[in-house]
Amino acid sequence: MRIRDIAAKLPFVSEQVLGLRLAAMQTGRLVTRTDTRHGAPYRLSALGESLTHVHRALADWSRIYLAPDATAEAERVEDAVRRLRPRHSTALIQVLADGGPIRFGHIAEGIGRADAFTRQRLLRLQADGLVTRTGPQHGAPYMLTDAGQELGPVYATVEHWSAPLSTRWASSPPVPVATAQRTHSGILLGSDGARTAAALRRSAAVPSALFSDASQPQPQVPTAVTTQSAPGRGR
């Protein structure tokens, strides 16, 4: 499709923005052009087409755990990415999956970030429905909500999609997997594109309920408690 044809289907996005986005996607090898002529149509690359599995995993997770309504799948994907994208969110979720419920101070130590940063990220994850607290009292431990706990298959699908190109296209496009290999416990996240993959590659020797085949439910917390919870320092 040419840019003008795509713009006709996305009237809420200007052609200028679409052009910039397509150029970035071409650099990322998600789209390609049919030839080198000016105005040549764009098409999804094989890598871009393989994102179907990732999009489906994100949309299904959002539909089941966040908003069981008639929202369009594309909007669900964007919403899920918005919740998971902020820097170090994946690392924090992993800390809670490995050791939750866990107190604030231990979370900050686990992700290697300052208290102020950790508090800000916890507030965001609470607002997004991924983290809650075990009680309203000061210093109450944090834990993953059901939505946060069920991120395992989503992360595993992203991990599989982001595998090295040399193995990704050896046969057919990837299918969702139930577990993820992890190669290091200290997560130093880099660029946006490598953020989730880097956070996933931690040692398989370290158990994590988030990456197990079956979900490991954490203690249920009354709704009245979760609505009152807010981040605070405590050990």
Side-chain angles (χ1 to χ4, degrees), residues 13-209:
V13 184
S14 69
E15 285 194 28
Q16 181 180 12
V17 171
L18 284 175
L20 293 172
R21 184 68 67 243
L22 285 165
M25 292 176 68
Q26 186 175 11
T27 300
R29 292 183 289 179
L30 297 177
V31 300
T32 186
R33 305 190 78 165
T34 56
D35 55 59
T36 59
R37 293 174 301 160
H38 176 73
Y42 287 90
R43 59 183 295 178
L44 284 177
S45 64
L47 180 62
E49 289 178 350
S50 74
L51 273 171
T52 297
H53 301 292
V54 177
H55 287 166
R56 185 177 298 118
L58 288 166
D60 288 347
W61 172 73
S62 175
R63 181 182 302 106
I64 295 171
Y65 297 103
L66 300 179
D69 53 29
T71 304
E73 182 164 304
E75 292 183 30
R76 291 187 181 280
V77 172
E78 295 287 349
D79 176 66
V81 170
R82 177 187 62 79
R83 294 170 190 260
L84 301 176
R85 178 172 178 166
R87 190 172 179 81
H88 296 294
S89 292
T90 295
L92 196 153
I93 289 170
Q94 281 193 330
V95 167
L96 287 170
D98 289 342
I102 185 171
R103 296 185 184 278
F104 176 84
H106 296 146
I107 295 174
E109 292 171 1
I111 66 173
R113 306 300 300 178
D115 289 359
F117 180 95
T118 303
R119 185 174 292 107
Q120 181 186 50
R121 187 59 69 242
L122 282 167
L123 279 170
R124 170 66 180 268
L125 290 172
Q126 282 183 269
D128 285 343
L130 304 181
V131 171
T132 186
R133 302 185 74 173
T134 57
Q137 68 274 19
H138 177 75
Y142 292 86
M143 60 183 283
L144 295 177
T145 62
D146 288 344
Q149 188 65 29
E150 293 301 326
L151 276 168
V154 177
Y155 280 139
T157 301
V158 176
E159 161 81 5
H160 193 68
W161 177 81
S162 64
L165 287 173
S166 58
T167 59
R168 185 185 300 148
W169 299 113
S171 54
S172 57
V175 295
V177 294
T179 58
Q181 294 288 318
R182 304 188 299 169
T183 60
H184 63 82
S185 56
I187 303 176
L188 298 176
L189 302 180
S191 63
D192 290 349
R195 191 170 296 162
T196 300
L200 292 171
R201 298 191 185 103
R202 300 172 62 193
S203 173
V206 181
S208 171

